[in-house]
Each structure stands twice: as structure tokens, then as C-alpha cells.
Amino acid sequence: MAMEITQFLLAAQSADARIRTEAEANLRQFQEQNVPSFLLSLSVELANNEKPTESRTLAGIVLKNSLDAKDAVTKEHLARQWMAIDISIISQIKDLLLRTLGSPVSEARHTSAQVIAKIASIDIPRKQWTGLIGSLLNNMTQRDSPAGLKQSTLETLGYVCEEISHQDLGQDEVNNVLTAVVQGMNLAENSPDVRLAATRALYNALEFAQTNFENEMERNYIMKMVCETALSKEVDIRQAAFECLASIASRYYEVLEPYMQALFELTSNAVKGDEEAVALQAIEFWSSICDEEIELQEFESGESGDSVPHSRFIEKALTSLVPMLLETLLKQEENLDQDDNIWNIAMAGGTCLELVARTVGDAILPLVMPFVEANIVKPDWHCREAATFAFGSIIEGPTIEQLSGLVHAGLDFLLRLMKDENNHVKDTTAWTLSRIFEFLHHPARGFSVISPDNLPRVVEVLLEGTKDAPNVAEKVCCAIYHLCQGYEEAGTSSSLFTPYVPAIIECLLSTASRPDGDDSRLRSTAYESVNAVVRCSNIVETSQIIVQLLPVIMNKLSQTLELQIVSSDDKEKQGDLQASFCGVLQVIIQKLSSVEETKRFILEAADQIMLLFLRVFACRSSTVHEEAMLAIGALAYATGSHFEKYLPELYKYLEMGLQNFEEYQVCAITVGVVGDICRALDDKALQYCDGIMNHLMKDLSSEALHRSVKPPIFSVFGDIALAIGEHFEKYTPYAVQMMQGAAELCARMDSSANDDELLEYGNQLKCSIFEAYSGILQGFKNSKPHVMLPYAQHILQFVELVLRETNRDDSVTNAAVAALGDVADVLGPNIKPLFGDLAFIDAFLQECLQSDDEQLRTTAAWTLERIRRIMES
């Protein structure tokens, strides 16, 4: 039974906090006492044209939030709550919502459209509310349907398509939806509001239109309507039409050939002369084409199967497309604060130019370099900035041979531009230098634009640049980061860099301490660059410098613990600083402990370092928690069995991390650190394993924990088993049961599904299961191998299942082959009868022996030898 709730809804929007709080409490109490009545009352309020707009709108928002949430666990709970409501009440709610689509109040119509889509997302996949699409289409076909009803119906169709999967509708329904939507775009028959709603609905419905785009006649009609709509006199309709074109470029690239000449003219005119919102979408069309062609080229360079034909649209349009994009670079906005998050036509043009360079490679150079050379010396700063932006945008794509000469010739000029009078020019120049160092400075691979002759000047200019405005200094720090990165694993070449390390570290620490360091991410970028200097420097030559840096950073971290915290901003700043310092300490610990000569410095300072980390944990900031946890993992690796003395104090924080489902990244990192600690302590970790395994089991069983945390937990089972050996026996039945359940989940996953996230998760899960089996098997090898005999058949079946998959990731292959070898190595002749289809396994391993991956070849050879030893016994 519905209740009168108007006054509560109005009071919940009161300017008086006391009235507002009381009303919110009343609404919450009603919801908790009787969910069905609460949702029905909200629907009645939303549908009643006599009620105030304010109460109706809030009723719709509360109703929507009672059906959906961003958090996956809450979303699932709300869906189950809806499904449990009596069908008669559900029918009333749905009828009221559909009726509201015809309301004269636009806010009510709009909110109702959103709520209908949320209900559809729950009901349609379960084959409930099968009449929804028919009801909505009926609104469109009825004679004399009001424009408001048509507009809200189209809006609803768009939202529904956004919420459900293309597999949830039959082809007849898809055809009818597309017909209604495309007819709604018709200029002659509909108002601007209706046409805008129709065009936006088409954008969401394109995912459903695969069959329609395969039919030439239907495709021609859809493309004709979209192109005509892109010429509408209303800006927002034109923008929506170009959004559709960009989506079509991504989804239906293979059928675009007949339309490309018209699409070039359409997009070109929009870029050159339309409003910025429209021009941005026109550029996005070409960026989408680039994305498709880059992906096609990657397929071509790999295994070419029955892939989409590569039409080389970018190559064909190049001589017209590139000049058009270069012109956009000259359209910078005046007096604009330097903010990388601002998206304007110049930024969009530069991004598209980057993609074009990656698509066509060397062919872009003769089209861009004359623009660069002509504009870089002009007195107008717009020209100089555009020239630098153009040059920076084409650094990735062309070959090293073609680029290196141009960069060598232009590097000195770019370094001089770092003294330009204009902030925009310096900002873009620093960004360009950063990209040059990122892509063209790799001594370890045998090429670099940096030489003993130009390095002193490069370092001098960069160090001076860190004193510039925050936005420029932040880009300079990025350039220093990539300059250092190039010397990682560069052998003797890194000695060239060594003399500059002290000055660079001193300069970066000074930059990070600037009062304006919060601007443009300057402080955090400076510390990330310190990390790069430490990580990439030659340890033999720079050990003393890094040893001296250790107490400096420890002191800075200690000072953050004394900061006065009086506001949330203070707390956030403290957290950011602590995260940065913990990050630097982690890199220092890893660097100094990487060679025996300097490891003692970490061992000597370990007590003080650990005390700092424990005090940081007491601040309870999740960001810091992550960084401090990672640093503790590095310290455990460095100190080995000596780490045992820290566990009594640390353990409670490990428990907190393992139970932190809400900030699941913290949980994931803690899981990894538990593995680091167990590997460091071996059987000294035993006394803590009951508690740790208990938490890990709860984590795996929890629906509230983000799924990405679960694969690392299986890997940690392997770490724990290796650490405590035969003592893992009591956990084995429970751990293996979880692993078998995860293996069954992997078996049910469709490896051919077009869901990259799900495939990636499946790969991580398979790898971690194999790593867990390998660790557990090797843990029992020298004491109780028989413990794993009952599980051998399941392991081999899972290995074979995975190895028979066609779309298999290399990391999964490696892990599966290793686990197969571990089964044979540890269980020996006992499992000879289980190797039934030896021909398949033998052929597969022979194939692995021909792989380009050296690690896989080595693992496969070892596994083959172990299996043959069993078969010959």
C-alpha cells in the first residue's frame, strides 16, 4: 500500500540541516520497515502530475538509487531485493513509471526513463518484463503521440540499450528499436528535442545493430540518417550525430569503405568551421579509425587469422587529414591555465596526430616537419607552441632511423625553447623532450639521442627547468624520469649518467619541497623521478649517494608524523607526503639490497625503518597503507629471516589489510606482502599461518571482495606452502577445494568471448592456480609428496583443459607447463597411469620447445624430461 511521502521528500531538500536530517531519517526508516511499500510510494509520487516537481524528481532519484549502485556487492543486493517483491506491486510500479513518460513535466519524464532502464537491467536478462520494448514502441507509433512522450520514450530506449546486453533482445526487437530510433531522427516529422533523444538513443543502440550493419540496404539507411543529422542546425544534435559516427568507426570499421569520402568531407567541415563540441567529436571519428588500424596492424604482425580487412583509410586520407589536424594545433585557448585535464580542439588534434603517426609511421614525417620548421621560429607564441606540439606528437610511430636525425638536429633548438618567454611554449617543449627521452633514449637497445657531448647541456637545462612555473616544472620532472629510465640495465652506458646523479637528486628534492608543489602534481612527480634516479643508477658507482639519501628520506617521513592535522586537507596532504616517502624508501631498500656490498646499510637501518612504517600505519590513511605495505615487502625480502622480530607488531596491520574489502587495492597489496614475508621467513612464519590462512580463506569466500584480489591469494598459497613445507598439510584440503572451484569457474568461462576484462581475469586466475599447485607440490617434495596424490588427476585434467584452449595467454602456457613438470617431478612413477593422452602432451611440449620465449623452452624441456623419466620407470 502506497503512503503519502510528499512532505518528507520536500523536507529532505530543506535549507535547514535539522529539518533535512530528520526527513532523511524518516525516509530511511520507511524504507527499512517496508521496501515494497516504499518503492511503490515513490512511484506514485513520481507519476502524480499534481505533486511539486521537486518532490517528484527526488522520488525518482531515490527510487533509482534503491535499484542500482556503483558497488558490485550493493548492486547485487538491490537486485535480489527487487526480485523478492510481490509481482502485483512490481506491476503497479512499472505501470506508474510508463505512465510518467507522458507527464508534461520534463524532469519527471527524464527521471522515469532512468528508473525504467534500471529495472530493465534486472528484469530483461531474466526474461521478465518482456512487454517493455513493445510498450515503448507503441508510444512511438500511436497517432498524435505528444512530442514529450516520444522524446522520453526514445530517451528510455537509449538508457535501456545502455543497461542491457545485445544478447538480451531478439533480432525482431532490435529491428523495431532501430526503426523507431532512426525514424525519431527524421527532420521533417519531429521536434529538436525528439531528434536529439533519438540520436542519443541510436548511440546506445549501435551495439545491437551488428546484423543490421551487415545488410547493405539497412546500413545505407542508418548511415544516411546519421550523416543528415550531422548537418542539423542544432549544435547538440550535430554533436550527438558525430558521437554516433565515432562509435560506428569503432564497431563497424569493416563496412565503412563506401562512405569514407562523404565522411571525410563531413568531419573536415566540422573540424574547420563548427562549434568546438562538434569539432571534437569529428576528430574523435578519425582517432577511432586510427585505433582500429593500429589494432589491425598488431594482428597482421602477429598471427593473421580471419581478421577484419585492413582498408588503410588513414594512409589514403593522409595528405588531407594531417594538414587539417595541424591547423587545430594553432587553436589554443587564450589565457588558459595549464591543465592537462582540459580537453579542447588543440589537445584533441594533437592526440589524433599521435595516433596517425603510430598508424602510418614514417609517412607522416614529410607532412609534419615543414609545419614544424615554418612555425617554430615565428614571433607568435601560438605558432611556436603548435610546432613543438606537432613534433612531440609524432615521436612514437616513425622508425628510429628516420627520427633520430631530425631529433639530433632539433634537440639543441628545443633546449633553447625551454627559455621561451611564453609559459605554454615551455610547457609543451618540456613535454616534447620527455617523449623524446621516452622513445629515443635506450642505450641498452643500442640507440639514444643522448651522447656524452649533449648530456651536460640536457641536464643543465632540465635542472634549471625544475625552477619554472609548476606546470612546466612537472613536465620537466617527467623528462628527467624518462632520461633516467633510459639508463636502466644500460651497462657501461649508465656510467655517463653517474656524475649527474647527486645534483639531480638534490634538485628534485628541492623541487618537491616547493610551496607550490601541490600544483600540477609537481610534488608527487618529483618524487617519482627521484625513484627513477635511484632505480636506474649504476649501484656500484652511486651506492654512497643512495646510502646518504636513506636517512634524508627517513627524516622527511618522520617529520610528517609531527604535522598538525586540523582539516581534511591537512590529512590528505600528510597522506600524500607519506605515500611519496614510503615509495622512495621502497626503491632505496630494493636498490641497496640488490648487492651484498650495500645490503648491510639496510640491515643496520631496518629497525628504524620498520618503526617509521608502523607509525605511518597508525595514521590509517589507505594511500599510505598501500605504499607502506609495498615498502615492507621490500624490507622483508632484504632482511630475510631477520624480519621475524617485526611480525608481532606488524601482524595486526596485516590482518587489517586482509580484511579491507572496501579499499580492495590495499587488500591485494597486503596479500602480496604476506607472500613476500613468508618467502623471507620460511618456517619461522609458521606460528602466524593459522591466522593468515583463515583470513585468506574468508577473502576467497567473500562476495564483498573485488574479484581481482582472488588470483593473488592462490599464488600466496604456493608461497606459504614453500615456506612451511610439510606443515601445510592441514590446510591442503581446504586450499585445494578452493582451487578446484576456481578451476571449474575457468572451465565455464568462454575464452572466445569478446570481453577483454573477463579474459584477463581468467588468465590471472589460471596462472595463480597453477602457481599455487607448483608451490604446494614443491613444498611437500622432500617430506610428504603423497599428500598431493589424490589431487593429481584433477591437476592434470585442468592442465590439459587449459592447454587445449586456442586463445591462450603466454603467461598461462608457462604456468601450466611448469605445474605439469612439478606434478611429474614430485609425484613420480605413482602417477604413470594418469598420463593417458601422452601424445597430446608430448606434441604440445615439442611445440613449446620451438617457442621464441626462452623461459618457456627451458620449462618445457625440464617438464618433458620429468615426464619421460616417469614413463620409462
Side-chain angles (χ1 to χ4, degrees):
M1 187 72 184
M3 271 180 59
E4 174 64 47
I5 57 171
T6 309
Q7 293 312 312
F8 293 135
L9 291 165
L10 292 173
Q13 301 173 70
S14 168
D16 185 321
R18 186 186 58 78
I19 296 173
R20 195 168 62 245
T21 306
E22 187 181 336
E24 287 169 354
N26 284 325
L27 287 169
R28 198 159 42 247
Q29 185 182 13
F30 180 17
Q31 182 174 18
E32 288 165 1
Q33 288 174 347
N34 193 332
V35 170
S37 179
F38 179 67
L39 299 185
L40 181 59
S41 301
L42 291 169
S43 308
V44 169
E45 184 77 21
L46 179 58
N48 190 337
N49 289 325
E50 305 300 316
K51 296 289 185 179
T53 301
E54 293 80 8
S55 65
R56 297 177 72 187
T57 304
L58 184 57
I61 292 168
V62 174
L63 184 54
K64 179 166 72 78
N65 293 340
S66 302
L67 295 162
D68 187 42
K70 287 181 180 176
D71 173 63
V73 177
T74 310
K75 186 185 180 85
E76 179 63 27
H77 165 72
L78 294 174
R80 281 201 296 265
Q81 182 177 272
W82 169 258
M83 289 185 273
I85 296 173
D86 184 87
I87 190 68
S88 64
I89 293 178
I90 282 181
S91 296
Q92 287 181 68
I93 291 171
K94 288 176 178 176
D95 288 344
L96 287 162
L97 289 168
L98 287 171
R99 196 191 311 160
T100 309
L101 294 179
S103 169
V105 179
S106 62
E107 292 89 344
R109 296 199 306 269
H110 171 72
T111 311
S112 186
Q114 292 179 313
V115 178
I116 289 169
K118 293 303 179 186
I119 295 174
S121 72
I122 301 170
D123 280 3
I124 288 182
R126 297 184 305 118
K127 305 303 177 194
Q128 303 293 313
W129 210 358
T130 51
L132 171 62
I133 299 298
S135 298
L136 294 171
L137 293 173
N138 195 39
N139 290 346
M140 298 301 296
T141 53
Q142 272 182 350
R143 183 176 294 179
D144 301 327
S145 270
L149 177 60
K150 282 188 172 183
Q151 181 267 334
S152 58
T153 299
L154 288 164
E155 189 175 22
T156 307
L157 284 168
Y159 288 147
V160 170
C161 289
E162 191 175 17
E163 290 288 341
I164 65 175
S165 161
H166 63 91
Q167 295 160 328
D168 293 329
L169 293 184
Q171 189 55 47
D172 285 346
E173 286 179 302
V174 171
N175 293 343
N176 291 334
V177 168
L178 284 171
T179 300
V181 166
V182 175
Q183 283 178 352
M185 294 165 69
N186 191 306
L187 175 63
E189 297 174 16
N190 296 298
S191 68
D193 284 349
V194 171
R195 286 166 45 235
L196 177 61
T199 311
R200 287 176 175 166
L202 177 63
Y203 178 84
N204 288 325
L206 284 169
E207 179 192 347
F208 297 73
Q210 178 76 46
T211 304
N212 309 83
F213 266 81
E214 288 167 1
N215 179 306
E216 185 181 359
M217 195 163 76
E218 291 181 37
R219 182 176 71 240
N220 285 341
Y221 182 60
I222 294 171
M223 291 300 292
K224 174 176 174 290
M225 288 303 298
V226 177
C227 290
E228 285 177 4
T229 306
L231 295 169
S232 300
K233 67 174 191 287
E234 297 85 2
V235 173
D236 48 3
I237 297 178
R238 293 202 301 277
Q239 179 185 349
F242 276 106
E243 284 174 10
C244 288
L245 288 174
S247 178
I248 289 167
S250 292
R251 294 183 186 281
Y252 304 114
Y253 170 91
E254 67 275 15
V255 296
L256 285 182
E257 179 81 60
Y259 316 104
M260 284 307 287
Q261 184 59 44
L263 290 172
F264 180 83
E265 288 174 19
L266 202 59
T267 52
S268 178
N269 290 335
V271 172
K272 289 173 182 171
D274 211 327
E275 299 287 334
E276 182 169 84
V278 181
L280 287 173
Q281 291 305 321
I283 293 171
E284 185 61 29
F285 170 83
W286 289 103
S287 293
S288 299
I289 295 286
C290 288
D291 286 335
E292 292 304 306
E293 297 199 344
I294 289 167
E295 195 174 329
L296 285 170
Q297 282 159 205
E298 286 168 0
F299 273 128
E300 286 171 3
S301 61
E303 295 175 16
S304 54
D306 52 348
S307 61
V308 172
H310 188 175
S311 301
R312 306 194 186 280
F313 294 135
I314 299 296
E315 199 178 291
K316 292 170 186 173
L318 200 62
T319 53
S320 305
L321 179 61
V322 171
M324 176 183 85
L325 294 173
L326 291 171
E327 282 302 307
T328 67
L329 304 188
L330 291 161
K331 296 180 180 178
Q332 307 97 324
E333 294 178 32
E334 298 287 346
N335 305 317
L336 184 71
D337 286 338
Q338 289 289 341
D339 182 349
D340 293 338
N341 295 319
I342 288 174
W343 192 244
N344 55 37
I345 193 162
M347 292 291 290
T351 303
C352 189
L353 195 63
E354 277 184 48
L355 291 168
V356 172
R358 287 175 56 200
T359 308
V360 301
D362 291 345
I364 200 167
L365 294 173
L367 294 167
V368 171
M369 288 314 296
F371 176 87
V372 174
E373 289 157 5
N375 284 281
I376 207 158
V377 291
K378 286 186 178 175
D380 183 349
W381 74 263
H382 295 84
C383 299
R384 298 197 303 281
E385 197 269 344
T388 316
F389 193 8
F391 192 47
S393 298
I394 61 167
I395 293 299
E396 185 187 8
T399 57
I400 305 297
E401 294 75 20
Q402 290 295 319
L403 270 178
S404 57
L406 295 171
V407 173
H408 274 296
L411 185 59
D412 193 55
F413 197 93
L414 288 170
L415 294 173
R416 286 205 300 278
L417 272 183
M418 284 302 299
K419 293 282 189 187
D420 198 275
E421 63 197 26
N422 184 275
N423 183 283
H424 294 266
V425 175
K426 286 185 288 186
D427 182 276
T428 304
T429 303
W431 172 80
T432 298
L433 288 170
S434 181
R435 279 178 62 83
I436 288 170
F437 301 150
E438 182 181 0
F439 294 107
L440 300 174
H441 169 51
H442 293 283
R445 296 189 219 156
F447 66 88
S448 176
V449 296
I450 301 296
S451 66
D453 295 333
N454 63 25
L455 183 57
R457 171 99 173 106
V458 167
V459 173
E460 177 194 348
V461 169
L462 293 179
L463 295 187
E464 188 62 31
T466 60
K467 301 182 180 76
D468 214 310
N471 62 292
V472 177
E474 191 264 337
K475 303 287 195 315
V476 170
C477 287
C478 287
I480 292 172
Y481 178 95
H482 289 300
L483 179 67
C484 300
Q485 195 87 345
Y487 289 111
E488 191 167 23
E489 298 174 5
T492 53
S493 296
S494 63
S495 296
L496 284 175
F497 185 60
T498 301
Y500 305 100
V501 168
I504 291 175
I505 288 177
E506 184 183 347
C507 183
L508 288 170
L509 291 179
S510 173
T511 302
S513 302
R514 282 171 52 159
D516 56 1
D518 289 333
D519 298 351
S520 302
R521 287 190 67 249
L522 176 56
R523 182 179 291 113
S524 58
T525 308
Y527 283 122
E528 284 167 22
S529 301
V530 171
N531 292 347
V533 178
V534 173
R535 191 173 55 248
C536 304
S537 61
N538 185 319
I539 183 64
V540 177
E541 298 170 352
T542 60
S543 59
Q544 280 310 113
I545 303 161
I546 298 169
V547 167
Q548 289 162 15
L549 181 62
L550 178 59
V552 173
I553 300 298
M554 286 172 65
N555 185 46
K556 285 179 179 289
L557 180 56
S558 179
Q559 287 170 5
T560 66
L561 298 164
E562 312 304 327
L563 288 173
Q564 273 202 315
I565 308 297
V566 294
S567 68
S568 58
D569 285 350
D570 291 342
K571 187 73 178 167
E572 186 180 348
K573 184 177 179 181
Q574 182 194 45
D576 289 345
L577 284 169
Q578 289 175 340
S580 291
F581 296 139
C582 289
V584 178
L585 284 174
Q586 181 195 351
V587 176
I588 292 174
I589 292 165
Q590 289 169 330
K591 193 70 175 182
L592 291 179
S593 60
S594 65
V595 292
E596 285 302 319
E597 292 79 3
T598 53
K599 196 173 192 174
R600 65 183 177 87
F601 294 108
I602 296 300
L603 296 177
E604 288 166 8
D607 288 359
Q608 290 172 278
I609 295 172
M610 194 65 201
L611 183 62
L612 277 172
F613 290 153
L614 291 171
R615 289 180 67 197
V616 163
F617 279 139
C619 293
R620 288 308 311 274
S621 162
S622 67
T623 318
V624 173
H625 202 159
E626 288 182 49
E627 300 293 343
M629 267 297 174
L630 287 166
I632 282 172
L635 191 64
Y637 181 80
T639 56
S641 60
H642 298 294
F643 193 83
E644 181 191 11
K645 62 183 174 181
Y646 306 127
L647 266 180
E649 278 296 310
L650 176 64
Y651 184 72
K652 65 182 176 188
Y653 294 113
L654 292 176
E655 282 196 311
M656 282 161 55
L658 292 175
Q659 294 173 86
N660 193 343
F661 291 1
E662 197 169 318
E663 295 159 324
Y664 65 88
Q665 295 93 338
V666 173
C667 187
I669 286 167
T670 309
V671 167
V673 170
V674 165
D676 295 336
I677 291 170
C678 289
R679 285 195 298 272
L681 296 186
D682 290 332
D683 58 0
K684 288 182 180 177
L686 191 55
Q687 62 178 305
Y688 298 97
C689 284
D690 280 359
I692 287 170
M693 285 298 293
N694 184 38
H695 284 302
L696 294 177
M697 289 294 185
K698 283 180 180 173
D699 286 0
L700 284 173
S701 305
S702 170
E703 290 184 8
L705 182 60
H706 195 276
R707 71 183 186 187
S708 64
V709 184
K710 298 188 177 183
I713 292 174
F714 289 122
S715 300
V716 169
F717 284 170
D719 293 330
I720 294 171
L722 278 170
I724 63 174
E726 64 185 85
H727 300 292
F728 194 80
E729 183 178 3
K730 64 179 176 179
Y731 309 123
T732 303
Y734 309 104
V736 172
Q737 184 183 1
M738 290 288 192
M739 289 151 63
Q740 288 177 339
E744 286 166 19
L745 177 64
C746 291
R748 291 197 300 272
M749 282 184 189
D750 181 2
S751 62
S752 64
N754 192 23
D755 184 339
D756 291 342
E757 276 187 32
L758 187 63
L759 290 176
E760 176 65 22
Y761 176 66
N763 287 332
Q764 290 169 354
L765 203 52
K766 290 166 196 167
C767 275
S768 66
I769 295 166
F770 288 132
E771 286 168 6
Y773 277 129
S774 288
I776 294 169
L777 284 159
Q778 291 297 335
F780 285 130
K781 180 177 179 181
N782 298 323
S783 53
K784 295 183 174 179
H786 61 273
V787 172
M788 290 302 288
L789 267 176
Y791 311 112
Q793 184 163 9
H794 177 271
I795 299 172
L796 292 177
Q797 285 171 344
F798 185 49
V799 167
E800 186 169 340
L801 172 86
V802 170
L803 294 184
R804 286 187 184 277
E805 289 176 357
T806 47
N807 297 337
R808 189 180 54 257
D809 192 76
D810 290 346
S811 61
V812 175
T813 307
N814 258 312
V817 171
L820 182 62
D822 287 318
V823 172
D825 180 47
V826 175
L827 302 182
N830 294 312
I831 57 163
K832 185 175 181 179
L834 298 181
F835 280 100
D837 189 0
L838 189 62
F840 166 72
I841 288 175
D842 191 68
F844 184 83
L845 292 173
Q846 292 292 347
E847 192 182 312
C848 291
L849 292 174
Q850 311 304 315
S851 168
D852 295 335
D853 183 338
E854 186 180 352
Q855 185 190 350
L856 179 57
R857 290 200 304 274
T858 306
T859 308
W862 175 78
T863 298
L864 200 56
E865 185 268 328
R866 286 291 180 264
I867 293 172
R868 284 177 177 167
R869 185 182 291 184
I870 290 174
M871 302 312 289
E872 291 164 6
S873 63

